[in-house]
Amino acid sequence: MEQSMSEVMNVTDMFGRNVFNDAVMRDRLPKSVYKKLKKTIEDGAELDPSIADVVAHAMKDWAIERGATHYTHWFQPLTGVTAEKHDSFISAPSDGRVIMEFSGKELIKGEPDASSFPSGGLRATFEARGYTAWDCTSSAFLREDAIGVTLCIPTAFCSYKGEALDKKTPLLRSVQAVNEQALRILRLFGNTTAKRVTPSVGAEQEYFLVDRAKYMQRKDLIYTGRTLFGAMPPKGQELEDHYFGVIRERIGSYMNEVNKELWKLGVPAKTQHNEAAPAQHELAPIYEEVNLAVDHNQIVMETLKKVAGRHGMACLLHEKPFAGVNGSGKHDNWSLTGDDGTNMLNPGDTPHENIQFLLVLACIIKAVDVHADLLRESAADVGNDQRLGSNEAPPAIISIFLGEQLEDVIDQLCSTGEATHSKKGGTLKTGVNILPDLDKDATDRNRTSPFAFTGNKFEFRMVGASDSIASPNTVLNTIVAEAFKEAADILEKADDFDMAVHDLIKKTLADHRRIIFNGNGYSREWVAEAERRGLPNLGSMVEAIPALTTEKAVKLFEEFGVFTRAELESRAEVEYEGYSKAANIEARTMIDMASKQIIPAVIKYTTQLAGSICAVRNACPEADVSVQTELLTEASDLLSSMKVALAALIEATDKASAMGGGREQAEAYHGVVAPAMEALRAPADRLEMIVDKDLWPMPSYGDLIFEV
Ligand code: ADP
Ligand code: MG
């Protein structure tokens, strides 16, 4: 019944149906309680614990009416995925009966025994206490799946001493920091109406879909999320015929279900299209407040995976599931929105006259230049190491693309000290009478910049598809808060504000112009040019992690109360450990596949060839067996290269895994194990091109990406 009901339900009925949202709260909470809760949500006032029981009660009734049996505190530990522990609502039975209970205490605070979550030494296992605390700025929601209906309560996760053990706590701290400083900037320009400024974020999510039965035949996909072997098929993405191509039925019915699931959970899924690589797609929601956007992106990732299973497919969120074709990223669109509707990143039609915008822009340019290493670090994850700098992925060097119009304004400011005009977009003429003339944007798009200004927002494109967007936004918010603060400190004291702001913009732009680059970020010349400009080029996660604990980073994060030194050190530890663990799994998976699947298959093939040579020779001594002989020689040579490379990989992996952890171990995996993996892959991929397809022990790239 439920199924067919929801089939006919339209989007407006569906949207937010499973969310304990503002409308439901207004409906179900006593007015005074609703008001108090609203104050916390909107003004950041401290939560009044006395209202918790009432809210919990209303939440429970609402959830149970919709079939919920359990609730869970839903949190985001440093694993990068979400965690939950389910409790049913039932009370201790009396007279053999139970009632359904849920108290304010249970809503506000959870205490998962969380000793197995990564804490980077912040919490020794003998002090396993960790607390989850209700984040009322992100609505509770109901998840319906095979387990049943579960009430999910978004929470932050902290240690006994209040140290952040998750991604949400520092994010919320950074939101407070940028709010405070952004308001100072607005006040300087006479804005007295905005009471709050929040980062707005829209994350475009890329993903691959493959057939589940084929997926199950690839241990690399199962264990690591990406292929570790695989020769390129005759066709790749060179025809660009998949990008924006017609969505096929199987994929379309999947997207349809994904959208419905997301809409019910209040996630404003908006755009869907095929991406550059075969089997690659994208989903983008409408932007929201950053905290919600982060939670919703986690829900998007979970939903993409869950629904894929129902359609006989597997969704790959890995940044580079297939070598040689496009990887998957997550464009993090970021702007600053006041509660009065101001978008601080809106240049207007004549940016040269928009002094507030120019100051904001100058501050962001400065922030990104000063903390390029941190921003790069925030996008580092194990999978992204395979993607950054390769085909259709932004380079690992941070630079900013502003576009012609803003670049020109900055040129004017820096050369003559005055900006007197803004380039206009003009009209786009198609040369066809019946087509309307279109207004052109003042700036064309650029696809290769890691940090591009796109109209009224910045788009940070380095983030990996499988990663949480919490860290990149935490860094962005904090570095911009710092630049705002430094500007406000100067300007609030100025006697002549107009003069002071003009000088400050000019000086800031002159000092940090080197980070602006409008050219092709994928070119080799840019690498050399960036080096000449002194921009950091942190090519891998292992090289990026130290940025977290520099004195510069500690000073920044401590000043704005986003991370303590101990929290930063623990995060670096967690990242090294995560890297080493993932690299170890990849290496061991390769060893397993090479030893138990590929080498045996090649031996079978060479044995067949040898058999054929003998048989043909016996039957007909004058027959030409040169083809079989050549193939046999080539396959045998590659087979022996494989064996040598396999032995080397086993040795390197054993050595690395015996090390004591931390940076040194991660460096061993990056510097020694990763090249040994490449060395093993090379002969195996060549063998795949030779060996009889019937004998090859797993589906090929072609099977995976062209036959979904
Ligand atoms: P693209 O052409 O790059 O796909 P879109 O204009 O479709 O760009 O926007 C991509 C994402 O950016 C969407 O999630 C959209 O909601 C979000 N977005 C649009 N405007 C803003 C803004 N002012 N601040 C933050 N995100 C925004
Ligand atoms: Mg985009």
Side-chain angles (χ1 to χ4, degrees):
M1 253 329 262
E2 178 65 24
Q3 193 61 25
S4 58
M5 279 273 291
S6 69
E7 281 307 313
V8 297
M9 213 188 295
N10 64 32
V11 180
T12 44
D13 291 339
M14 209 181 305
F15 193 83
R17 192 172 172 269
N18 288 347
V19 184
F20 193 73
N21 56 22
D22 190 56
V24 181
M25 290 196 284
R26 198 170 342 141
D27 218 34
R28 294 187 171 242
L29 294 175
K31 213 172 199 151
S32 63
V33 172
Y34 171 76
K35 270 195 179 149
K36 277 188 185 163
L37 187 57
K38 224 26 207 170
K39 211 162 166 52
T40 300
I41 295 172
E42 283 183 355
D43 305 342
E46 209 161 304
L47 182 77
D48 176 351
S50 69
I51 64 168
D53 272 324
V54 185
V55 180
H57 198 81
M59 221 184 245
K60 178 200 73 180
D61 286 350
W62 170 81
I64 289 173
E65 279 165 30
R66 281 151 187 276
T69 53
H70 288 70
Y71 70 91
T72 179
H73 276 200
W74 187 72
F75 58 105
Q76 302 174 25
L78 299 179
T79 52
V81 291
T82 58
E84 50 198 76
K85 175 184 148 214
H86 298 196
D87 276 293
S88 77
F89 289 113
I90 64 167
S91 60
S94 80
D95 302 338
R97 302 170 137 268
V98 293
I99 50 167
M100 302 291 256
E101 279 183 342
F102 184 51
S103 68
K105 214 174 123 226
E106 287 165 310
L107 165 65
I108 288 188
K109 191 178 95 176
E111 201 182 324
D113 171 18
S115 48
S116 305
F117 291 110
S119 79
L122 269 187
R123 208 176 21 137
T125 32
F126 57 89
E127 304 171 324
R129 262 181 215 279
Y131 294 99
T132 49
W134 181 34
D135 166 22
C136 63
T137 63
S138 178
S139 303
F141 57 92
L142 292 177
R143 196 165 49 205
E144 301 170 296
D145 53 24
I147 307 175
V149 182
T150 309
L151 172 67
C152 299
I153 300 155
T155 55
F157 179 43
C158 296
S159 78
Y160 188 71
K161 293 186 185 127
E163 293 134 334
L165 296 174
D166 68 348
K167 305 235 171 196
K168 184 184 275 262
T169 309
L171 176 74
L172 293 174
R173 294 172 181 163
S174 76
V175 170
Q176 282 180 29
V178 76
N179 170 50
E180 195 179 314
Q181 303 305 327
L183 284 174
R184 287 177 71 191
I185 300 290
L186 289 180
R187 299 287 181 261
L188 278 166
F189 287 89
N191 178 324
T192 50
T193 48
K195 287 205 296 294
R196 204 165 65 108
V197 174
T198 25
S200 295
V201 166
E204 303 164 57
Q205 175 73 49
E206 294 179 329
Y207 61 94
F208 278 84
L209 288 172
V210 297
D211 185 80
R212 183 148 191 93
K214 290 179 191 145
Y215 168 93
M216 292 307 289
Q217 293 170 50
R218 299 247 1 176
K219 291 190 188 177
D220 45 8
L221 288 180
I222 295 172
Y223 295 136
T224 74
R226 71 164 171 132
T227 54
L228 299 168
F229 295 100
M232 274 301 282
K235 180 183 172 185
Q237 65 188 53
E238 59 276 63
L239 294 182
E240 305 278 4
D241 50 354
H242 192 256
Y243 191 58
F244 283 12
V246 175
I247 297 170
R248 279 173 303 117
E249 271 197 32
R250 184 180 192 186
I251 308 299
S253 93
Y254 164 81
M255 288 178 169
N256 183 14
E257 190 173 333
V258 166
N259 286 333
K260 286 182 180 161
E261 292 273 319
L262 291 176
W263 289 333
K264 280 196 259 174
L265 292 169
V267 180
K270 171 88 173 162
T271 311
Q272 60 202 21
H273 63 78
N274 288 347
E275 255 301 329
Q280 193 185 26
H281 311 277
E282 179 182 302
L283 181 153
I286 298 172
Y287 67 93
E288 305 174 276
E289 279 191 19
V290 60
N291 184 31
L292 265 187
V294 169
D295 286 1
H296 281 172
N297 181 249
Q298 291 287 353
I299 293 178
V300 166
M301 291 195 283
E302 282 170 23
T303 306
L304 286 171
K305 290 196 154 183
K306 189 157 69 183
V307 175
R310 295 183 199 148
H311 289 250
M313 296 188 287
C315 172
L316 309 179
L317 295 174
H318 194 282
E319 286 74 10
K320 195 79 177 175
F322 305 100
V325 291
N326 234 30
S328 298
K330 188 136 56 188
H331 292 179
D332 188 77
N333 294 270
W334 181 93
S335 66
L336 286 172
T337 314
D339 58 352
D340 61 347
T342 335
N343 174 0
M344 293 177 76
L345 273 79
N346 187 0
D349 291 336
T350 50
H352 70 283
E353 295 171 333
N354 189 341
I355 306 299
Q356 180 185 308
F357 170 75
L358 289 177
L359 177 66
V360 168
L361 183 68
C363 286
I364 295 174
I365 290 170
K366 172 182 171 182
V368 173
D369 185 32
V370 172
H371 297 294
D373 57 339
L374 269 181
L375 210 48
R376 157 66 182 102
E377 202 290 325
S378 75
D381 77 359
V382 183
N384 229 0
D385 267 18
Q386 309 297 326
R387 166 181 170 259
L388 288 181
S390 73
N391 196 14
E392 279 291 300
I397 307 165
I398 296 270
S399 66
I400 299 181
F401 170 83
L402 289 179
E404 231 180 294
Q405 188 189 43
L406 292 180
E407 176 92 340
D408 175 60
V409 170
I410 288 176
D411 271 344
Q412 295 176 49
L413 272 169
C414 289
S415 57
T416 65
E418 257 355 289
T420 55
H421 58 274
S422 297
K423 287 190 174 177
K424 290 272 179 281
T427 314
L428 184 138
K429 302 232 188 291
T430 58
V432 179
N433 292 337
I434 56 158
L435 295 179
D437 286 342
L438 303 174
D439 286 341
K440 258 199 318 200
D441 290 311
T443 288
D444 198 5
R445 277 172 179 262
N446 163 298
R447 306 225 314 160
T448 62
S449 175
F451 201 82
F453 187 73
T454 44
N456 59 3
K457 59 185 169 27
F458 272 103
E459 187 169 333
F460 184 31
R461 297 168 172 158
M462 223 182 230
V463 186
S466 71
D467 208 1
S468 160
I469 55 168
S471 302
N473 287 300
T474 302
V475 168
L476 258 173
N477 298 340
T478 314
I479 64 179
V480 171
E482 182 189 58
F484 282 172
K485 176 186 179 289
E486 286 167 2
D489 283 350
I490 293 172
L491 297 175
E492 281 169 1
K493 286 201 293 262
D495 297 327
D496 182 343
F497 176 74
D498 290 346
M499 181 79 103
V501 74
H502 175 268
D503 289 350
L504 181 63
I505 292 171
K506 213 182 129 196
K507 177 166 184 336
T508 309
L509 290 174
D511 289 350
H512 299 286
R513 263 186 104 170
R514 62 172 189 165
I515 196 78
I516 301 172
F517 177 64
N518 281 347
N520 178 6
Y522 296 175
S523 69
R524 209 166 301 146
E525 295 77 56
W526 170 230
V527 176
E529 166 67 13
E531 194 181 336
R532 206 181 51 70
R533 295 188 189 185
L535 301 177
N537 181 1
L538 304 170
S540 66
M541 175 165 175
V542 171
E543 289 158 86
I545 297 171
L548 278 178
T549 48
T550 60
E551 284 311 307
K552 174 173 72 89
V554 173
K555 181 178 161 288
L556 166 81
F557 286 123
E558 289 203 326
E559 173 168 9
F560 292 96
V562 174
F563 287 116
T564 62
R565 182 186 293 270
E567 285 172 334
L568 286 168
E569 281 166 358
S570 80
R571 259 152 228 255
E573 246 353 87
V574 168
E575 293 204 10
Y576 285 127
E577 195 184 313
Y579 181 87
S580 294
K581 282 183 177 164
N584 188 57
I585 293 170
E586 289 197 343
R588 303 248 178 241
T589 303
M590 260 193 129
I591 292 167
D592 191 272
M593 290 169 77
S595 318
K596 297 205 223 137
Q597 293 186 287
I598 300 178
I599 290 178
V602 179
I603 290 175
K604 232 184 245 168
Y605 177 65
T606 49
T607 309
Q608 275 185 11
L609 278 173
S612 154
I613 295 170
C614 292
V616 173
R617 272 208 186 119
N618 274 342
C620 174
E622 53 285 356
D624 181 2
V625 287
S626 61
V627 173
Q628 292 97 314
T629 317
E630 242 173 69
L631 280 173
L632 181 57
T633 318
E634 195 182 350
S636 303
D637 284 353
L638 288 167
L639 182 62
S640 83
S641 311
M642 249 193 101
K643 187 72 183 98
V644 173
L646 175 63
L649 178 61
I650 293 173
E651 198 194 321
T653 310
D654 285 344
K655 229 175 170 170
S657 66
M659 291 172 71
R663 180 170 178 173
E664 213 180 318
Q665 184 178 38
E667 278 171 351
Y669 276 106
H670 176 63
V672 187
V673 175
M677 288 169 66
E678 290 298 312
L680 175 58
R681 177 174 182 150
D685 287 0
R686 283 178 58 199
L687 279 163
E688 190 185 344
M689 303 295 285
I690 303 176
V691 172
D692 185 343
K693 175 140 175 75
D694 291 339
L695 293 177
W696 198 254
M698 62 199 81
S700 68
Y701 270 26
D703 301 334
L704 286 165
I705 60 180
F706 284 103
E707 295 174 28
V708 194

